[in-house]
Amino acid sequence: MKGETVVSTALAVLVLLTVLAIKSKWNPAALSDAASSAEEFILNTAGIGGQVPDIAGYERLKVFRLGEYRAGLYRATPAPLVFAPGRVVIYDKADQPVFKLETLEGSKDPWSTLYDFNGRNGLTAGSRERTNYARDLTGNGDPDIIIGQYTGGSHCCTIATIVELGKSKVTSIGRIDGLDGLPFEGLGVRKLNKGVAWQCLAHRPYMTACGDHFDAADVLAIYNFNGTRFEDQTSKFGDYLEQVLQDDLAKWKQEKNRTMDLLQTLAVDYAAVGQKDLGKEFFASGLNQLMPSLQSRNVDPNACLETLQSLVDRIPPANVQSQ
């Protein structure tokens, strides 16, 4: 029993010395923001650690295990009343930082997280399935993760950063901004064609003079891998956009669904498949049905119609063809 106590004490001392050694080598200033500059870090793959290292002045909020890598979510401490600076750091087997992303975190609950591909809408919500934070989205054999950041704004300002966990380097390969709400509201990952790559679907609300945020049009953008990065390639998925239009038209047929947000979304849907004039006509017709609601909220129908048409004119049309 005494021998076991000596061994346990020795192990604890060894762990403490290791952490101190790691902290002495930590140099946050030497890490550039890889998400914005897409700078690549060459990795040292020797060794493996259990926990992610501590950072002076930060508390460790969560650890994400990513196969050959681990990521730590940190928040500055002590945190003020509302929010505090944070960061996501990815480490290699040798506990060396290979990627850093500056974040903003709530003082009570963390705002940043990783997309769970086995979760509901990207979030882990009491599912019995094991979390899965990494998936080969590009088809090149390397796992990818999606980091979601909320910047504290109202009805805006959520960013998704796609990061490739390569065998010799970790690289930012995509950034989707302008999302609404906390991560990952408005973001989905689907395979829309027969290719090896997955697509990221971003739903962004666009407000007009027709109402408030809850009346906004849902404008869909599809991000596809171009061989180097994920970029907006919505126009290449015309057949899928046509299906979205038909699904929304089916909803509109039910009187209980005839709301301003769906009406504006349908006008945008028509524009996305190259039928802008038809979309404007459909909106004008539907607007008559919603006139009592507009009048009760003192919404100017002429201003509503004008700003909606301006939004429709800005939607780039897609080619409807077999994917």
Side-chain angles (χ1 to χ4, degrees):
M1 189 73 177
K2 183 177 180 181
E4 293 177 357
T5 302
V6 171
V7 171
S8 298
T9 303
L11 287 173
V13 172
L14 178 59
V15 170
L16 177 60
L17 291 175
T18 302
V19 171
L20 290 175
I22 292 170
K23 289 175 69 175
S24 67
K25 296 179 181 179
W26 175 259
N27 181 12
L31 283 174
S32 62
D33 187 345
S36 58
S37 66
E39 180 176 351
E40 299 172 354
F41 295 88
I42 304 301
L43 310 182
N44 175 5
T45 58
I48 187 169
Q51 258 312 351
V52 295
D54 290 325
I55 302 177
Y58 286 79
E59 60 177 321
R60 186 173 56 228
L61 301 177
K62 190 168 183 179
V63 176
F64 302 90
R65 304 195 179 278
L66 308 171
E68 298 293 317
Y69 300 95
R70 286 163 296 122
L73 174 62
Y74 301 86
R75 176 175 56 199
T77 185
L81 294 178
V82 181
F83 52 82
R87 59 179 56 170
V88 174
V89 184
I90 300 177
Y91 299 90
D92 65 6
K93 285 184 177 180
D95 282 339
Q96 294 301 306
V98 293
F99 184 92
K100 184 188 76 169
L101 190 62
E102 300 291 345
T103 69
L104 194 66
E105 305 301 331
S107 298
K108 183 179 179 181
D109 299 311
W111 290 342
S112 302
T113 188
L114 267 61
Y115 193 96
D116 181 4
F117 295 99
N118 285 344
R120 182 178 181 182
N121 298 326
L123 295 175
T124 304
S127 173
R128 292 186 178 182
E129 287 192 76
R130 292 186 59 183
T131 56
N132 177 22
Y133 297 116
R135 171 181 287 177
D136 180 6
L137 298 176
T138 67
N140 66 4
D142 291 325
D144 306 292
I145 63 173
I146 305 177
I147 304 173
Q149 301 169 254
Y150 173 59
T151 60
S154 176
H155 300 309
C156 74
C157 313
T158 295
I159 302 169
T161 303
I162 307 171
V163 179
E164 182 179 77
L165 305 177
K167 296 179 179 61
S168 61
K169 59 189 176 184
V170 172
T171 312
S172 171
I173 59 171
R175 176 185 169 98
I176 304 172
D177 56 16
L179 296 170
D180 180 42
L182 293 169
F184 289 94
E185 296 177 28
L187 183 69
V189 178
R190 294 185 59 181
K191 186 173 285 189
L192 301 181
N193 54 28
K194 297 179 181 180
V196 295
W198 294 73
Q199 287 74 45
C200 294
L201 281 62
H203 295 266
R204 297 186 178 96
Y206 278 76
M207 288 179 56
T208 67
C210 299
D212 58 22
H213 174 79
F214 298 101
D215 297 313
D218 178 10
V219 180
L220 173 65
I222 302 173
Y223 287 76
N224 190 47
F225 190 63
N226 65 3
T228 305
R229 294 181 61 80
F230 277 86
E231 65 177 6
D232 187 343
Q233 296 186 348
T234 309
S235 62
K236 293 186 177 181
F237 293 88
D239 283 359
Y240 177 74
L241 296 174
E242 177 67 32
Q243 184 59 55
V244 170
L245 169 62
Q246 296 306 319
D247 290 344
D248 285 343
L249 284 172
K251 294 177 184 177
W252 181 260
K253 289 180 179 179
Q254 302 181 34
E255 189 171 350
K256 65 178 182 179
N257 293 330
R258 292 180 182 177
T259 58
M260 179 58 72
D261 60 316
L262 181 56
L263 181 59
Q264 293 196 88
T265 298
L266 275 162
V268 169
D269 289 346
Y270 273 112
V273 296
Q275 301 182 52
K276 293 186 178 184
D277 290 341
L278 188 55
K280 293 176 182 179
E281 292 174 8
F282 186 91
F283 180 81
S285 174
L287 191 61
N288 290 327
Q289 302 178 45
L290 301 180
M291 198 63 69
S293 175
L294 295 181
Q295 293 173 345
S296 67
R297 293 183 295 161
N298 295 319
V299 174
D300 182 349
N302 292 324
C304 170
L305 187 61
E306 181 180 347
T307 55
L308 184 280
Q309 290 178 343
S310 177
L311 172 60
V312 166
D313 287 336
R314 297 198 304 271
I315 302 297
N319 294 320
V320 179
Q321 57 186 2
S322 180
Q323 299 293 323

